[in-house]
Amino acid sequence: MIKDWGQAKEQAEKENKKILIILTGSEWCAPCKKMDKNVLTTSDFKTYAEEHLILFLVDLPGGGLVMNSKVYQDYVRFKKEYQAEALPSLILVDKTGKKIKTLTGKMFNLENVLSQVKEG
């Protein structure tokens, strides 16, 4: 997973892939942990993502946020730019960063996530 937006867009352009923006708090957010375990780390998701997606990760750390940290600034930027309402959020964009869709429903359900990513 890539943590630099410029690098994610560059790789998406080079490989002609969509980007899946992952906004999460994997250390402290219970639904985020569930998504990580049931979706992001599964072989089915990894196989699909490897062939079709660039994964861009914004993972807010636990133990208190540092407001001027890069990860927090990225979170605020992408939350605002793509109208993400909650954690976790999965946002599918094209290789230029244009929003295709925000995934809905249960982000910890592999079938739900894969079906929406494949539709996009």
Side-chain angles (χ1 to χ4, degrees), residues 3-110:
K3 295 184 180 182
D4 177 89
W5 182 237
Q7 186 183 346
K9 283 175 53 178
E10 192 177 295
Q11 193 167 338
E13 182 70 42
K14 189 169 79 177
E15 297 179 25
N16 197 27
K17 293 181 179 178
K18 295 174 187 159
I19 302 169
L20 185 64
I21 300 170
I22 303 165
L23 301 180
T24 187
S26 66
E27 295 175 7
W28 53 271
C29 164
C32 300
K33 288 179 182 181
K34 205 170 175 182
M35 175 186 72
D36 199 40
K37 178 182 174 212
N38 296 341
V39 178
L40 301 181
T41 59
T42 65
S43 59
D44 286 352
F45 180 80
K46 285 179 177 178
T47 299
Y48 181 82
E50 217 170 86
E51 292 178 29
H52 303 280
L53 301 169
I54 299 300
L55 302 177
F56 172 66
L57 180 69
V58 179
D59 190 1
L60 292 173
L65 294 173
V66 179
M67 298 303 178
N68 62 355
S69 68
K70 182 185 180 318
V71 71
Y72 184 75
Q73 290 172 350
D74 279 352
Y75 170 71
V76 170
R77 172 188 169 192
F78 291 102
K79 180 180 190 281
K80 184 178 179 184
E81 189 173 332
Y82 297 107
Q83 295 91 41
E85 298 297 319
L87 287 178
S89 284
L90 298 176
I91 304 147
L92 188 65
V93 300
D94 69 13
K95 62 187 175 191
T96 68
K98 183 174 180 270
K99 181 176 174 179
I100 297 168
K101 69 184 338 178
T102 299
L103 277 61
T104 59
K106 296 178 176 158
M107 294 302 105
F108 53 81
N109 180 295
L110 178 63

